[in-house]
Short mmCIF file of all heavy atoms in Angstrom, two decimals:
data_model
loop_
_atom_site.label_atom_id
_atom_site.label_comp_id
_atom_site.label_asym_id
_atom_site.label_seq_id
_atom_site.Cartn_x
_atom_site.Cartn_y
_atom_site.Cartn_z
N ARG A 5 122.64 99.15 38.83
CA ARG A 5 122.65 100.34 39.62
C ARG A 5 123.93 100.67 40.29
O ARG A 5 124.31 101.71 40.40
CB ARG A 5 121.50 100.18 40.56
CG ARG A 5 121.20 101.43 41.41
CD ARG A 5 120.01 101.34 42.31
NE ARG A 5 118.76 101.31 41.31
CZ ARG A 5 117.60 101.25 41.70
NH1 ARG A 5 117.27 101.15 43.08
NH2 ARG A 5 116.57 101.16 40.93
N PRO A 15 126.85 121.70 46.92
CA PRO A 15 126.62 122.18 48.25
C PRO A 15 125.92 123.56 48.46
O PRO A 15 125.92 124.29 47.42
CB PRO A 15 128.12 122.36 48.71
CG PRO A 15 128.91 122.62 47.56
CD PRO A 15 128.24 121.89 46.49
N LEU A 18 126.41 129.26 52.55
CA LEU A 18 125.76 130.22 53.45
C LEU A 18 126.88 131.24 53.87
O LEU A 18 128.02 130.81 54.06
CB LEU A 18 125.13 129.50 54.72
CG LEU A 18 124.11 128.44 54.37
CD1 LEU A 18 123.74 127.78 55.68
CD2 LEU A 18 122.94 129.04 53.75
N ALA A 52 149.30 157.37 65.40
CA ALA A 52 148.26 158.32 65.13
C ALA A 52 146.77 157.78 65.40
O ALA A 52 145.91 158.35 65.74
CB ALA A 52 148.31 158.66 63.60
N GLU A 63 146.57 145.11 75.24
CA GLU A 63 147.74 145.95 75.04
C GLU A 63 148.79 145.32 74.02
O GLU A 63 149.58 146.01 73.41
CB GLU A 63 148.44 146.34 76.41
CG GLU A 63 147.71 147.32 77.22
CD GLU A 63 146.60 146.56 78.10
OE1 GLU A 63 146.42 145.33 77.94
OE2 GLU A 63 145.91 147.37 78.71
N THR A 68 145.27 145.53 63.22
CA THR A 68 143.87 145.63 63.21
C THR A 68 143.28 145.42 61.86
O THR A 68 143.92 145.80 60.89
CB THR A 68 143.47 147.07 63.76
OG1 THR A 68 141.97 147.14 63.84
CG2 THR A 68 143.84 148.19 62.84
N LEU A 83 127.10 121.30 52.74
CA LEU A 83 127.01 122.62 53.38
C LEU A 83 128.30 123.38 53.55
O LEU A 83 129.28 122.84 54.28
CB LEU A 83 126.30 122.41 54.75
CG LEU A 83 126.13 123.75 55.65
CD1 LEU A 83 125.27 124.64 54.85
CD2 LEU A 83 125.50 123.37 56.97
N TYR A 86 130.74 130.46 54.27
CA TYR A 86 131.62 131.60 53.91
C TYR A 86 131.59 132.54 55.10
O TYR A 86 130.51 133.05 55.56
CB TYR A 86 131.32 132.24 52.65
CG TYR A 86 131.50 131.44 51.41
CD1 TYR A 86 130.45 131.10 50.63
CD2 TYR A 86 132.83 131.11 51.04
CE1 TYR A 86 130.64 130.26 49.51
CE2 TYR A 86 133.05 130.31 49.94
CZ TYR A 86 131.92 129.91 49.12
OH TYR A 86 132.15 129.15 47.96
N ARG A 95 134.93 153.47 63.39
CA ARG A 95 135.23 154.29 62.23
C ARG A 95 135.04 153.43 60.94
O ARG A 95 135.08 153.97 59.75
CB ARG A 95 136.57 154.89 62.07
CG ARG A 95 137.82 153.95 62.16
CD ARG A 95 139.09 154.91 62.28
NE ARG A 95 140.25 154.16 62.06
CZ ARG A 95 140.91 153.42 63.03
NH1 ARG A 95 140.34 153.45 64.27
NH2 ARG A 95 141.97 152.81 62.76
N GLU A 163 116.10 133.60 73.68
CA GLU A 163 116.24 132.69 72.59
C GLU A 163 117.64 132.83 71.99
O GLU A 163 118.00 131.88 71.12
CB GLU A 163 115.17 133.03 71.56
CG GLU A 163 115.30 134.30 70.86
CD GLU A 163 114.27 134.46 69.82
OE1 GLU A 163 113.29 133.65 69.83
OE2 GLU A 163 114.31 135.38 69.07
N ALA A 176 136.08 123.89 68.76
CA ALA A 176 135.16 124.84 69.49
C ALA A 176 134.50 125.76 68.55
O ALA A 176 133.29 126.05 68.68
CB ALA A 176 136.00 125.51 70.58
N ARG A 197 106.00 129.76 59.41
CA ARG A 197 104.81 129.34 59.98
C ARG A 197 103.96 130.52 60.31
O ARG A 197 102.74 130.52 60.10
CB ARG A 197 105.08 128.51 61.25
CG ARG A 197 105.69 127.11 61.02
CD ARG A 197 105.95 126.37 62.16
NE ARG A 197 106.53 125.09 61.88
CZ ARG A 197 106.96 124.25 62.83
NH1 ARG A 197 106.80 124.51 64.04
NH2 ARG A 197 107.44 123.07 62.44
#
Side-chain angles (χ1 to χ4, degrees):
R5 183 171 296 181
L18 302 174
E63 289 83 1
T68 183
L83 180 59
Y86 290 114
R95 67 183 186 277
E163 67 180 11
R197 289 178 180 176

